[in-house]
Each structure stands twice: as structure tokens, then as C-alpha cells.
């Protein structure tokens, strides 16, 4: 495999992407060329919504080709185009042979939720201070503990679960890997329903629950029945707004609603969407994301 690496201004990213696709690129990724510098730009988007931009003001485009000849031919064709005037060829280089399993594993280390509560991949030993832990490896479903939204939800669970308090019957709506449902089980939930629209997520949740020796019911959203003392939903702001009446209908009187997947700038939108049912408040924030909660 060979990489063709380009620098491009934001207004040429889409044109270059289409050209690279036509030139038999196997994949094209777009990155902020100024990442990890003071000029880095944060861009956030949601599935199903138009992206905020096609790329960054200075975009680094990395395309993958089956052979060096294809990559070099693509570079020559692109350099001859008028739209390439503001772009730059950085390199055509082989992709080094690597132990991809070991590389992937090296990127996932134990994640601290609280000083005593950790998410630990199966290939790592738990930290000495870990009194409670979830064993979880990266997979197809969202939720490994590395994302701020997941960490904030798990911190809330740890702070509101056994032994001091009770989570009661719990619904994890949009369960992904099942990490929140497993966390709820670890902190004393009396019963747990974990639901997702993705069959793969349901399968992952069941497998991860078994690996962590906890009991829960996983299935499609129609398995969410009745009311719960705690309803968790770590999704994204747009579906959370649509789901407001449904999620609130599942929270029993005096119960907790816990929502994540929300950017700081989306707080007022969520408050307005949920106002007919409850008063959401910002409970936690991390890296531009917030956790919103309410008592019904």
C-alpha cells in the first residue's frame, strides 16, 4: 500500500476528494494540518446533518493506493489541474508494515473514571487502586470509555449508585457497547434494560455483559417497557430532541434522566426541547461536551 499526502485549502477539499476517488484511491482521509498547534480548529458535526465545513483552512489529505505507480500517477494528474494551484504535494510513500493488532491495542489503555473506578481492556492489568472496573475492548459499537460523553455518564453512575444511593431499575437507551448498562450493574442497579436500533450494538452489549459477569436485558427499542428510576441516553443532540417525549415517559416520578452526546453550545436547544416535560440542567462538562440531567 502507498500513501499520497497533499495539503489543500478548505475550498478545494471536495474537488480533490472526488478526483482522488476517480483516480482509484482506496480511501481518502482529511485532517487538520494544524492539529496539535495553537492554530488547530475544532469542527463538530452530527450524522445526518450537513458537515460544518468540507475540511479545515489548511487540510492534510491522505489517500491510500494499492501500488506506488498508481499513487505517483495520481499525483502527476492532480498537479496538472488548474484547481491544484493552491495545493501542495507532500509525499508519496509506502505504508510501513505493522502489527496492526498490537498498534490498536497500544492506543487503548486503562481509562480512569474516578480514582477507584476504571475501564480496562482485557490485555491490561487493572491499576492497583481500581476497586471497581469494567473490562471492555474496542469493537463495532460506540463506547469504550475514551470519549468525554461516556466518561461523564459513568462518573454520574458512580456518584449516584451503590452503596450510598440507588439507581433502581435502569434503562440505557442507545446502549452501543453496553458500557453504561454494565456500569449501572456494577453500581447496584436492581434491573437493567439496554436497547439500541443497531443489532450489532445489541450483540456487543450482551457479549460485554457476559464478559463482565453482570445481568441485563438487551434488545431493540421495543424492549424498553414501563418506567424506570434511571434513564440514560448517550446519543447526540438531534435525536435526543426528537426522543424527548419518549425518554421522559419512561422516567418514573422522582426518577433521574441523564443525557449526553451534547455540545456546550447545544444546551439551550435541549432545555427548550425538554421544557414541556422537565427542567434539564448542565451537570458536568468536559472537552466541549456536556452532561445534562433532570429529576422528573
Amino acid at each position: 500500500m502507498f500513501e499520497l499526502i497533499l495539503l489543500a485549502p478548505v475550498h478545494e477539499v471536495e474537488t480533490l476528494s472526488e478526483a482522488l476517488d476517480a483516480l482509484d484511491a482506496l480511501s481518502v482521509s482529511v485532517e487538520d494540518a494544524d492539529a496539535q498547534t495553537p492554530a488547530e480548529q475544532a469542527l463538530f458535526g452530527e450524522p445526518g446533518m450537513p458537515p460544518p465545513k468540507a475540511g479545515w483552512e489548511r487540510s492534510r489529505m491522505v489517500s491510500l493506493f494499492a501500488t506506488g505507480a498508481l499513487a505517483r500517477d495520481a499525483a502527476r494528474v492532480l498537479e496538472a489541474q488548474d484547481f491544484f494551484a493552491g495545493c501542495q504535494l507532500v509525499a508519496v510513500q509506502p505504508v510501513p508494515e505493522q502489527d496492526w493488532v498490537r498498534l490498536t491495542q497500544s492506543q487503548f489503555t486503562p481509562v480512569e473514571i474516578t480514582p477507584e473506578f476504571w475501564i480496562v481492556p482485557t490485555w491490561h492489568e487493572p491499576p492497583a487502586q481500581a476497586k471497581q472496573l469494567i473490562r471492555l475492548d474496542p469493537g463495532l459499537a460506540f463506547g469504550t470509555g475514551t470519549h468525554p460523553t461516556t466518561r461523564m455518564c459513568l462518573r454520574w453512575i458512580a456518584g449516584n449508585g451503590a452503596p450510598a444511593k440507588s439507581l433502581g431499575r435502569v434503562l440505557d437507551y442507545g446502549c452501543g457497547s453496553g458500557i453504561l448498562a454494565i456500569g449501572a450493574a456494577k453500581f447496584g442497579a436492581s434491573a437493567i434494560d439496554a436497547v439500541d436500533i443497531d443489532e450489532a450494538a445489541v450483540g456487543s452489549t450482551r457479549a460485554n455483559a457476559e464478559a463482565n459477569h453482570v445481568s441485563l436485558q438487551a434488545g431493540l427499542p421495543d424492549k424498553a417497557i414501563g418506567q424506570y428510576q434511571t434513564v440514560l441516553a448517550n446519543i447526540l443532540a438531534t435525536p435526543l430532541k426528537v426522543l424527548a417525549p419518549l425518554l421522559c415517559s419512561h422516567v418514573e416520578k422522582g426518577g433521574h434522566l441523564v443525557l449526553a452526546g451534547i455540545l456546550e453550545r447545544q444546551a439551550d436547544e435541549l432545555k427548550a426541547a425538554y421544557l414541556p416535560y422537565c427542567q434539564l440542567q448542565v451537570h458536568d462538562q468536559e472537552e466541549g461536551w456536556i452532561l445534562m440531567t433532570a429529576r422528573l
Side-chain angles (χ1 to χ4, degrees):
M1 295 289 183
F2 278 74
E3 290 178 331
L4 168 59
I5 304 174
L6 307 170
L7 283 180
V10 63
H11 61 273
E12 297 295 0
V13 167
E14 287 193 31
T15 302
L16 276 172
S17 296
E18 292 172 0
L20 286 162
D21 183 57
L23 291 165
D24 295 325
L26 300 174
S27 66
V28 180
S29 63
V30 184
E31 308 162 358
D32 186 356
D34 296 313
Q36 309 302 319
T37 75
E40 180 177 11
Q41 294 179 306
L43 294 180
F44 296 102
E46 291 191 12
M49 301 292 288
K53 287 185 178 181
W56 289 263
E57 294 304 321
R58 283 187 356 107
S59 292
R60 183 175 185 266
M61 302 184 66
V62 181
S63 50
L64 188 65
F65 287 86
T67 67
L70 285 171
R72 288 186 288 272
D73 286 346
R76 282 193 290 271
V77 170
L78 291 173
E79 287 180 308
Q81 307 306 311
D82 291 340
F83 60 75
F84 199 79
C87 306
Q88 179 184 341
L89 172 62
V90 176
V92 174
Q93 61 192 29
V95 177
E97 291 292 332
Q98 297 199 59
D99 182 338
W100 293 104
V101 172
R102 188 176 297 276
L103 177 63
T104 299
Q105 289 181 344
S106 72
Q107 296 170 346
F108 290 90
T109 57
V111 176
E112 179 181 351
I113 305 302
T114 74
E116 298 181 345
F117 178 28
W118 289 72
I119 312 301
V120 185
T122 55
W123 54 82
H124 277 280
E125 287 297 317
Q129 66 269 38
K131 295 183 179 179
Q132 188 63 272
L133 60 89
I134 297 175
R135 284 288 194 180
L136 199 71
D137 296 340
L140 293 176
F142 174 81
T144 60
T146 59
H147 197 276
T149 60
T150 308
R151 291 197 299 269
M152 288 189 291
C153 287
L154 289 170
R155 279 202 297 268
W156 186 93
I157 289 169
N160 287 272
K165 303 174 185 178
S166 175
L167 297 169
R169 184 173 181 238
V170 173
L171 172 63
D172 180 3
Y173 199 98
C175 57
S177 68
I179 189 170
L180 302 186
I182 295 166
K186 296 279 186 177
F187 282 90
S190 59
I192 304 157
D193 288 336
V195 302
D196 203 293
I197 60 173
D198 185 352
E199 289 277 12
V202 173
S204 292
T205 294
R206 289 174 179 156
N208 289 329
E210 183 177 354
N212 281 276
H213 311 292
V214 301
S215 177
L216 55 79
Q217 299 297 317
L220 298 176
D222 61 1
K223 298 298 183 184
I225 299 172
Q227 292 190 312
Y228 302 79
Q229 190 171 335
T230 304
V231 173
L232 309 162
N234 181 15
I235 314 177
L236 285 170
T238 298
L240 284 176
K241 288 189 288 185
V242 174
L243 290 167
L246 175 65
L247 293 177
C248 291
S249 72
H250 280 304
V251 185
E252 68 179 37
K253 186 176 180 180
H256 295 277
L257 178 66
V258 182
L259 307 179
I262 308 162
L263 296 169
E264 288 179 356
R265 58 179 168 80
Q266 296 171 320
D268 289 342
E269 298 175 41
L270 267 294
K271 287 180 180 179
Y274 281 78
L275 189 58
Y277 316 100
C278 62
Q279 289 190 321
L280 281 178
Q281 300 294 328
V282 176
H283 177 83
D284 200 355
Q285 57 186 37
E286 184 178 338
E287 297 180 18
W289 299 89
I290 56 175
L291 182 76
M292 303 191 77
T293 62
R295 293 290 294 268
L296 274 72

